[in-house]
């Protein structure tokens, strides 16, 4: 069976850097941090009192108040990003077979805010009086369902949950369903909204978050010796993946081609990556093999790069091992240094950063690195694109995501050539 080619025809985001793709991209290439004091709950007693929050988001721009009340914040983000991606793809739905359009949309955690609110409101003496929308608002698959119901898409419909690899897994599944001929197009991506007392408190209990409360905007500093944990982010990112001939037949704008996807497991630890990057090496090699590409074909890697002590070292080691001498000719950057870590939505947002980098010929930076802040276990002959964007022609880019539980996923996108 000959596999079909898969292209990207629509993009949409809502992030701590902006509520549109253009605002977010402008923030990325200009090295702007989205971090600041937490406004969504009283955080004065927490070890970490800052995050990368979405600003000025109005759900009433996408639905009426009654419908919005049925959705958790993460679902509202998903609907907003998906709406922008679908509009960007410019479908003529009078001509489309909606049985052949699917939705595969991820969330690593789902409706944690809804869960917190419902449990906090429970009173043992009064008895159970839960909101009838409690469960539908909370579950991680509901965003995919809501998008499909809003547009009447009846193709493959589900969520992927693999912690911080979730939305890369969603893109991978969408890619595979389309190239196997199971759908003409799939709306994919991820959404997350965990800036809440249990979200921040839980990660604080693990010592996973930065506690640089006096300087939030410089707290996410991947590959610097003084890094002390990740910065929690929120938002959503959505891509429309489409079978190439279907896209060409309708005259769609094509951003790029998806050419490979890899998955692997560390099989090592609940939360820590393997110190030698074994799973990271395997997932990148799997993606390259799937794409039928050599390491030398990759120009840019948007790394997982969370700004954690162990993770950054193991990923840098893995890149050197997989790419060999070519590792020193790559551009590498962590856009989490600006957006924070969007957990289950990170992979989709970072895949979009790769796509924009290809389209615009510019690599977004890894910000917050200072001279003299070098980790002896990291090879700084690698080009981490520190602090300033770099112009470069990019033919192909790889995006890495690694999640708690040892889940790893990578996707490769490249310039579209007929």
């Amino acid at each position: 069976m000959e596999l079909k080619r898969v292209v990207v025809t629509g993009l949409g985001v809502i992030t701590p850097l902006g509520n549109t793709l253009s605002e977010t991209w402008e923030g990325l290439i200009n090295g702007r941090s989205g971090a600041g004091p937490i406004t969504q709950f009283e955080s004065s007693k927490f070890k970490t009192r800052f995050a990368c929050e979405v600003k000025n988001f109005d759900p009433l721009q996408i639905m009426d108040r009654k419908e919005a009340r049925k959705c958790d914040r993460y679902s509202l983000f998903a609907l907003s990003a998906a709406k922008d991606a679908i509009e960007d793809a410019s479908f003529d739905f009078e001509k489309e077979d909606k049985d052949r359009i699917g939705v595969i949309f991820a969330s690593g955690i789902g409706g944690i805010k809804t869960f917190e609110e419902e449990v906090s409101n429970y009173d043992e003496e009064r008895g159970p009086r839960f909101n009838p929308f409690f469960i539908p608002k909370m579950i991680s698959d509901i965003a995919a369902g809501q998008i499909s119901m809003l547009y009447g898409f009846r193709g493959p419909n589900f969520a992927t949950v693999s912690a911080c690899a979730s939305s890369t897994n969603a893109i991978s599944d969408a890619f595979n369903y389309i190239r196997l001929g199971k759908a003409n197009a799939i709306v994919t991506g991820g959404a997350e909204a965990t800036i809440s007392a249990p979200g921040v408190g839980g990660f604080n209990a693990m010592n996973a978050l930065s506690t640089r409360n006096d300087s939030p905007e410089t707290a996410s500093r991947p590959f610097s010796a003084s890094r002390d944990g990740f910065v929690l982010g929120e938002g959503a990112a959505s891509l429309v993946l489409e079978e190439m001939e279907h896209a060409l037949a309708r005259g769609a704008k094509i951003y790029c081609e998806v050419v490979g996807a890899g998955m692997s497991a560390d099989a090592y630890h609940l939360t820590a990556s393997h110190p030698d990057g074994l799973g990271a090496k395997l997932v990148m090699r799997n993606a390259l093999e799937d794409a039928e590409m050599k390491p030398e074909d990759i120009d840019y890697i948007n790394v997982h790069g969370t700004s954690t002590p162990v993770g950054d070292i193991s990923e840098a080691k893995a890149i050197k091992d997989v790419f060999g001498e070519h590792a020193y000719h790559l551009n590498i950057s962590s856009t989490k240094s600006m957006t924070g870590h969007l957990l289950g939505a990170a992979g989709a947002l970072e895949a979009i950063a790769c796509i924009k980098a290809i389209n615009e010929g510019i690599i977004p930076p890894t910000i917050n690195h200072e001279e003299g802040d070098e980790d002896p276990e990291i090879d700084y002959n690698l080009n981490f694109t520190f602090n300033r964007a770099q112009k470069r022609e990019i033919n192909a880019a790889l995006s890495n995501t690694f999640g708690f539980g040892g889940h790893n996923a990578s996707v490769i996108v490249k310039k579209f050539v007929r």
Side-chain angles (χ1 to χ4, degrees):
M1 176 183 175
E2 184 177 352
L3 295 176
K4 298 180 183 296
R5 292 172 65 183
V6 181
V7 296
V8 177
T9 58
L11 301 173
V13 302
I14 178 166
T15 77
L17 298 181
N19 296 351
T20 65
L21 180 58
S22 60
E23 290 173 349
T24 296
W25 180 244
E26 181 275 331
L28 288 175
I29 61 173
N30 286 292
R32 178 161 52 86
S33 171
I38 291 171
T39 66
Q40 295 181 47
F41 68 96
E42 171 51 54
S43 63
S44 61
K45 295 182 179 179
F46 287 72
K47 288 191 292 185
T48 297
R49 300 186 290 278
F50 63 93
C52 286
E53 296 182 327
V54 168
K55 290 92 174 168
N56 304 314
F57 174 61
D58 181 6
L60 301 186
Q61 291 183 348
I62 56 172
M63 62 176 58
D64 63 38
R65 192 178 305 276
K66 181 179 178 182
E67 292 302 310
R69 290 177 64 186
K70 298 176 185 177
C71 297
D72 184 84
R73 184 172 171 89
Y74 102 90
S75 293
L76 293 170
F77 288 159
L79 287 161
S80 178
K83 175 178 180 290
D84 286 351
I86 292 164
E87 290 178 356
D88 188 35
S90 300
F91 289 108
D92 181 351
F93 287 125
E94 291 187 2
K95 297 180 180 178
E96 291 294 331
D97 180 359
K98 292 187 178 181
D99 291 354
R100 299 277 302 169
I101 302 178
V103 182
I104 303 175
F105 218 89
S107 183
I109 294 178
I112 192 170
K113 284 178 174 287
T114 293
F115 189 89
E116 176 191 14
E117 290 167 2
E118 292 295 322
V119 172
S120 297
N121 290 335
Y122 174 61
D123 185 327
E124 288 188 6
E125 293 185 5
R126 188 179 63 183
R129 294 177 64 182
F130 290 96
N131 188 312
F133 294 103
F134 171 27
I135 301 301
K137 286 174 69 174
M138 178 194 70
I139 52 181
S140 296
D141 68 300
I142 204 65
Q146 288 168 325
I147 294 165
S148 73
M149 287 183 277
L150 183 61
Y151 293 96
F153 298 153
R154 294 180 291 272
N157 183 263
F158 58 92
T160 52
V161 181
S162 49
C164 305
S166 294
S167 56
T168 304
N169 277 134
I171 294 169
S172 300
D173 281 0
F175 171 53
N176 285 325
Y177 272 89
I178 294 170
R179 66 176 172 169
L180 288 170
K182 305 291 185 181
N184 294 335
I186 293 178
V187 180
T188 189
E192 208 77 87
T194 59
I195 301 174
S196 61
V200 174
F203 283 120
N204 266 163
M206 298 167 56
N207 295 315
L209 297 180
S210 171
T211 56
R212 195 180 287 262
N213 293 298
D214 58 341
S215 184
E217 67 280 359
T218 67
S220 184
R221 43 182 57 218
F223 306 107
S224 292
S226 60
R227 66 194 184 277
D228 68 333
F230 70 84
V231 177
L232 193 59
E234 64 176 357
S238 180
L239 306 85
V240 175
L241 269 56
E242 193 168 347
E243 193 272 319
M244 181 189 72
E245 295 297 342
H246 184 270
L248 291 171
R250 68 181 188 86
K253 169 181 77 269
I254 293 176
Y255 284 101
C256 69
E257 183 173 3
V258 182
V259 291
M263 286 166 269
S264 77
D266 279 10
Y268 171 70
H269 189 273
L270 278 176
T271 58
S273 57
H274 193 283
D276 294 325
L278 294 186
K281 294 177 195 177
L282 181 58
V283 75
M284 288 188 282
R285 287 178 173 140
N286 288 344
L288 287 165
E289 181 181 358
D290 188 47
E292 298 181 345
M293 296 174 76
K294 294 179 280 190
E296 294 77 18
D297 295 326
I298 302 297
D299 302 303
Y300 169 49
I301 302 177
N302 190 301
V303 290
H304 189 56
T306 56
S307 189
T308 55
V310 175
D312 289 5
I313 293 170
S314 64
E315 187 171 12
K317 286 180 178 178
I319 289 170
K320 287 179 63 176
D321 193 68
V322 171
F323 289 87
E325 184 60 30
H326 182 63
Y328 299 101
H329 302 285
L330 292 163
N331 272 83
I332 298 165
S333 74
S334 171
T335 47
K336 288 184 181 74
S337 60
M338 297 169 278
T339 65
H341 192 352
L342 271 65
L343 307 180
L349 176 56
E350 290 153 18
I352 289 175
C354 288
I355 293 166
K356 288 293 289 181
I358 289 171
N359 281 233
E360 304 295 334
I362 188 166
I363 309 283
T366 304
I367 67 168
N368 295 326
H369 182 70
E370 300 168 359
E371 189 174 346
D373 194 13
E374 283 77 35
D375 186 326
E377 294 194 60
I378 293 175
D379 184 351
Y380 291 95
N381 290 312
L382 297 171
N383 183 0
F384 292 105
T385 322
F386 281 133
N387 298 324
R388 292 184 181 178
Q390 295 178 14
K391 292 183 178 180
R392 173 174 180 167
E393 184 176 352
I394 308 157
N395 182 62
L398 180 148
S399 177
N400 281 339
T401 46
F402 313 139
F404 285 177
H407 312 296
N408 306 307
S410 298
V411 65
I412 298 174
V413 291
K414 67 180 292 188
K415 281 184 178 178
F416 174 68
V417 178
R418 178 73 185 270

